[in-house]
Amino acid sequence: MAAGRFLWAAYAGLGALATAGYFLLPAGLATAVYILTGASSAAAVALGALLHRPSRRLPWFVLSLGPLLMSLADCLWSYYWSRGSVPYPSYADALYLLGYVFLGAGLLLLQHRTVSNGLDALVDPLMVASGGALLYWGLIIGPYVHDPSLSLLAKAVSVAYPLLDVLLLAALARYLLGFGGRVPALYLLELSFAVLLLADSVYGLQVLQGSYRDGSWVDAGWLACYVLLGAAALHPSMRGLSVPQPGSAEPALLTNRRIALLTGAALTAPGLLAAQAALGVRIDAYPIAAGCVLIFALAVIRIRGIVVALLRTLSERERLQERLEQQALHDPLTGLANRALFSDRLAHAASRANPLDGGRLAVLMLDLDGFKSVNDSLGHEVGDALLVSVAGRIRACVRPSDTVARLGGDEFAVLIEEISDVGAAVRVAERILDRLGEPYSVGGVGRVAAASVGVAFGPAREAKSLLRDADAAMYVAKERGKGRYEVFEPRMRNARAEKLRLEAELRAALERGEFAVHYQPIVSFATGEVVEVEALVRWERPGRGTVGPAEFLSVAEESGLIVPIGRWVLREACRQVREW
């Protein structure tokens, strides 16, 4: 297998020597070298397919028939030449033309599933081929068609050669423009066909001018085509030409190479017309006009494709932007506004408030009572389903112009703009509580979701403070029994601030070890002995002395600090019992 890595280079080197020997050897040997080089190209292509085992071998076997048939045609042509005259057309021409057909078929088969199949990948090669067809018409096809000395069959064969070159040009352009990967085997293959097209063009011009001679440098082009084709098949990277390339299904892009090729194709018609006028030769108006119409039609199709692709891209970007905005400003679970969007709506309401009357709005803060037990007992999936149902019921209780948000966890907020009085806000709160009080079917069990609601009402210019006030009122509602609403009063703000300060002090007390356990003995009436003790937590609050649990346990429960406090009390009680 290691030898296979350098086999292509060895073949290319021998091919270069054979090409040089063709011009140095006597005529008979030179002809043998020419025919053997073509046959070796066919053998090299088939060997490469067998040696490197690409995923699709058929295109390479079809390609190998091209140089094989051309080598047979060379043998037949040499036979005619040895007899003193070469008929035209002859069976050799049939073999040559058939060889071109297999070369084109192999190249197209290689492109199957490896080159973009979009409309752009079809239109662009057709534009290049149309430009090439116009050029061939002006230089080669036209003179053959108008030559009165040629029979109809001779004209048909003479025209068939450049037409097949045009088809090869289209297939080559499709490879150049549509293949995503760039591998060494592809460069060798492209160069092989490019050299072939160039040699055919020069040969056609020389035949028309009567200047072609056997053994000219045009033959070097055909020999180079054979060698490059064989080297491409023997190169290990040829396996990559059968593998679908990333992005091969995407629309063709207007790269610099593509723009250059399309520009050259578009300028062929005016360039040919100008050249014929300058040289004073026959101007083929109708073919040139037909070519212009075809290229223009293809250009229109191409532009339409660009416009459609651009509009599709813009539409996709708009949808992406909408999705990003949705994700950035909305809660992913419930689809409600999130805290950022709710804050923005509050700020917007404050900014457009009338300086004279300020407008009025209300903010409702809502927190589900006992939601943690749902998550703990039934799981988070059931809890999420409950949150989605709650969100839908809250949204159904307000106007479309009002903003409903999920601020996090089981906490929701409602912004009601252009509201006349606090009574209207209270009616919304009552409607929400009644709606939430209806049973839910969650986890196969009917449940009721109670909630505590805080209501704040005031001028729109104080929108930001209303959110804080509604939050304070909501905590008062929880303290007063839950499952109810409370309207904010200024004194609640101080109570809320005191509660937050107490929570912070409790956290610090845990870290500093300011809690103590007092033990209440329980005595048996029958024996008068102590049968058990009750552990009671106390807080040695700096500056306040010993503080009973009635002053801080409710705050500890709401903040979750009751868990570490209870854990500390249990450890301390166990330690004390062990000492006793």
Side-chain angles (χ1 to χ4, degrees):
M1 196 67 180
R5 299 177 184 175
F6 306 102
L7 186 59
W8 72 275
Y11 177 79
L14 291 175
L17 292 176
T19 302
Y22 173 76
F23 294 99
L24 300 176
L25 295 173
L29 290 177
T31 300
V33 167
Y34 188 94
I35 294 172
L36 289 175
T37 302
S40 71
S41 177
V45 174
L47 177 62
L50 295 173
L51 181 65
H52 299 302
R53 298 181 179 179
S55 59
R56 297 171 59 247
R57 300 184 188 181
L58 178 62
W60 295 100
F61 290 139
V62 173
L63 271 177
S64 68
L65 293 177
L68 178 61
L69 289 170
M70 290 180 176
S71 297
L72 293 176
D74 290 333
C75 292
L76 191 54
W77 188 91
S78 298
Y79 170 74
Y80 289 140
W81 184 78
S82 66
R83 297 286 296 270
S85 77
V86 180
Y88 185 79
S90 66
Y91 291 112
D93 293 297
L95 291 174
Y96 281 130
L97 293 175
L98 193 58
Y100 279 95
V101 170
F102 278 102
L103 284 177
L107 192 58
L108 289 175
L109 286 173
L110 271 178
Q111 298 173 19
H112 180 60
R113 293 188 298 178
T114 64
V115 175
S116 172
N117 292 320
L119 182 62
D120 295 339
L122 177 63
V123 171
D124 291 352
L126 285 179
M127 287 185 66
V128 174
S130 299
L134 275 178
L135 192 60
Y136 272 107
W137 178 273
L139 297 177
I140 301 174
I141 298 177
Y144 279 130
V145 171
H146 301 306
D147 189 350
S149 64
L150 294 176
S151 66
L152 183 60
L153 180 60
K155 287 184 179 181
V157 172
S158 300
V159 170
Y161 279 107
L163 284 181
L164 286 174
D165 279 341
V166 170
L167 294 178
L168 287 179
L169 176 63
L172 181 62
R174 189 165 184 261
Y175 229 148
L176 283 169
L177 300 175
F179 190 76
R182 310 306 297 175
V183 294
L186 178 62
Y187 291 118
L188 293 170
L189 189 66
E190 290 173 345
L191 186 57
S192 171
F193 280 90
V195 171
L196 173 63
L197 294 176
L198 179 62
D200 286 349
S201 301
V202 174
Y203 169 76
L205 290 174
Q206 289 184 349
V207 169
L208 286 172
Q209 297 170 0
S211 60
Y212 175 74
R213 297 290 183 273
D214 291 333
S216 69
W217 290 102
V218 175
D219 296 343
W222 288 323
L223 288 169
C225 168
Y226 288 144
V227 174
L228 290 169
L229 180 60
L234 291 173
H235 198 283
S237 64
M238 59 88 72
R239 288 189 296 265
L241 300 183
S242 301
V243 178
Q245 297 298 311
S248 62
E250 296 297 324
L253 300 176
L254 283 177
T255 59
N256 292 334
R257 178 173 54 183
R258 188 179 295 270
I259 292 173
L261 287 173
L262 297 182
T263 301
L267 294 177
T268 302
L272 178 60
L273 190 62
Q276 288 181 338
L279 296 174
V281 299
R282 177 193 179 102
I283 296 178
D284 297 310
Y286 292 114
I288 292 176
C292 286
V293 171
L294 177 59
I295 293 175
F296 179 78
L298 293 172
V300 170
I301 295 174
R302 185 67 167 94
I303 293 172
R304 180 185 179 277
I306 293 174
V307 172
V308 170
L310 179 60
L311 292 177
R312 184 168 57 247
T313 300
L314 292 176
S315 177
E316 290 174 353
R317 288 186 177 182
E318 289 178 359
R319 288 196 295 269
L320 176 60
Q321 184 175 358
E322 291 175 359
R323 287 198 300 269
L324 292 176
E325 290 178 355
Q326 175 74 16
Q327 294 172 2
L329 299 176
H330 291 79
D331 174 53
L333 177 63
T334 63
L336 298 177
N338 61 11
R339 183 179 293 274
L341 180 56
F342 193 80
S343 299
D344 180 74
R345 295 284 173 84
L346 283 174
H348 181 67
S351 66
R352 62 190 184 92
N354 191 317
L356 297 179
D357 60 17
R360 291 289 185 270
L361 57 83
V363 174
L364 277 62
M365 284 288 294
L366 181 150
D367 188 84
L368 298 183
D369 299 326
F371 178 74
K372 185 176 182 299
S373 64
V374 175
N375 275 339
D376 293 343
S377 60
L378 301 178
H380 288 280
E381 290 186 2
V382 175
D384 289 345
L386 179 60
L387 289 174
V388 172
S389 298
V390 167
R393 294 189 180 188
I394 296 175
R395 191 187 288 112
C397 294
V398 300
R399 302 169 300 181
S401 59
D402 299 330
T403 301
V404 181
R406 180 187 175 212
L407 303 185
D410 60 343
E411 193 173 62
F412 297 84
V414 181
L415 171 62
I416 307 174
E417 300 186 59
E418 299 178 359
I419 190 170
S420 58
D421 53 50
V422 69
V426 168
R427 287 191 291 274
V428 174
E430 291 174 342
R431 192 159 59 243
I432 291 174
L433 288 174
D434 291 342
R435 189 76 175 86
L436 294 183
E438 298 175 4
Y440 297 81
S441 178
V442 178
V445 180
R447 301 185 65 90
V448 175
S452 299
V453 182
V455 180
F457 173 81
R461 60 177 177 270
E462 299 177 2
K464 291 186 178 180
S465 64
L466 289 178
L467 180 62
R468 179 189 60 201
D469 295 343
D471 187 61
M474 180 193 69
Y475 278 99
V476 172
K478 281 187 173 294
E479 291 176 354
R480 294 180 179 178
K482 303 180 180 180
R484 56 182 291 160
Y485 71 86
E486 290 292 336
V487 179
F488 173 77
E489 298 175 2
R491 60 182 178 81
M492 295 179 180
R493 189 177 297 156
N494 296 331
R496 178 62 178 158
E498 174 61 27
K499 185 174 294 185
L500 292 174
R501 183 167 61 252
L502 182 59
E503 179 182 336
E505 291 184 11
L506 282 174
R507 293 184 186 278
L510 268 174
E511 296 177 358
R512 293 194 294 261
E514 294 176 359
F515 290 101
V517 178
H518 292 190
Y519 299 95
Q520 176 70 43
I522 297 177
V523 180
S524 170
F525 281 109
T527 64
E529 297 179 351
V530 176
V531 293
E532 59 184 80
V533 294
E534 183 180 1
L536 305 173
V537 65
R538 297 292 183 269
W539 179 15
E540 302 296 337
R541 191 174 183 183
R544 293 279 303 274
T546 302
V547 177
E551 296 187 24
F552 64 85
L553 278 188
S554 61
V555 175
E557 289 176 351
E558 292 178 7
S559 63
L561 291 173
I562 191 66
V563 175
I565 291 175
R567 189 182 300 117
W568 180 86
V569 171
L570 181 61
R571 284 199 305 266
E572 181 63 19
C574 291
R575 184 194 63 79
Q576 186 62 58
V577 169
R578 186 174 58 185
E579 289 184 1
W580 288 339

